[in-house]
Amino acid sequence: MAQYPWAQLPDLLIKNQWMLATAESCTGGMIAAACTDLAGSSSWFERGFVSYSNAAKTEMLGVPAALIAEHGAVSEPVARAMAQGALLNSRAQVALAVTGIAGPGGGSADKPVGTVWFAWATPAGLKSERLLFAGDRAAVRTATLQHSLQGLIALLRPVA
């Protein structure tokens, strides 16, 4: 388990009897897959939502279509709504959400390729963050996976 930089995540969740739900767009399920790569994940991983399309974000997570229309799918309000929706539509106490532009196309001056919004919902509250990753599609998605789980660990450490 040591080869995973997020290997301490299970202990932080299990200690508090918390379950995790993920809401993913640009990573397409990579985060859920990384979590379930760890043996025993059924004791702390509740479910994952792959909400790649805008319609899926609305249908699966309850993200208002008007919010997506106003801010775009890759935005702080949408990432936060995705995390909250993951909690509301699961039995988890902790959720993380990612939405971004992995490329190679789809970027703009305001939201270049590599832009990713993260949101983490924990019993301590809701936090969001925007990062810009360099590299090709695979590099952006891998960096998103790693940052989402390491960010969650950093948030859970103080309360665990």
Side-chain angles (χ1 to χ4, degrees), residues 65-125:
L67 193 70
I68 297 170
E70 181 180 351
H71 299 281
V74 180
S75 64
E76 181 176 26
V78 170
R80 292 172 73 91
M82 288 171 65
Q84 291 170 318
L87 285 183
L88 290 171
N89 292 287
S90 73
R91 295 189 169 131
Q93 296 76 35
V94 174
L96 67 83
V98 297
T99 181
I101 304 164
S108 68
D110 289 345
K111 297 176 187 177
V113 169
T115 300
V116 180
W117 273 101
F118 298 84
W120 299 272
T122 70

Side-chain angles (χ1 to χ4, degrees), residues 7-47:
Q8 61 188 295
L9 180 60
D11 292 339
L12 293 170
L13 292 165
I14 291 168
K15 181 179 182 178
N16 290 290
Q17 299 181 332
W18 291 337
M19 298 291 281
L20 170 64
T22 59
E24 303 179 61
S25 186
C26 61
T27 49
M30 290 173 64
I31 299 167
C35 289
T36 58
D37 275 350
L38 299 174
S41 56
S42 61
S43 66
W44 56 271
F45 186 80
E46 209 275 326
R47 72 182 71 185

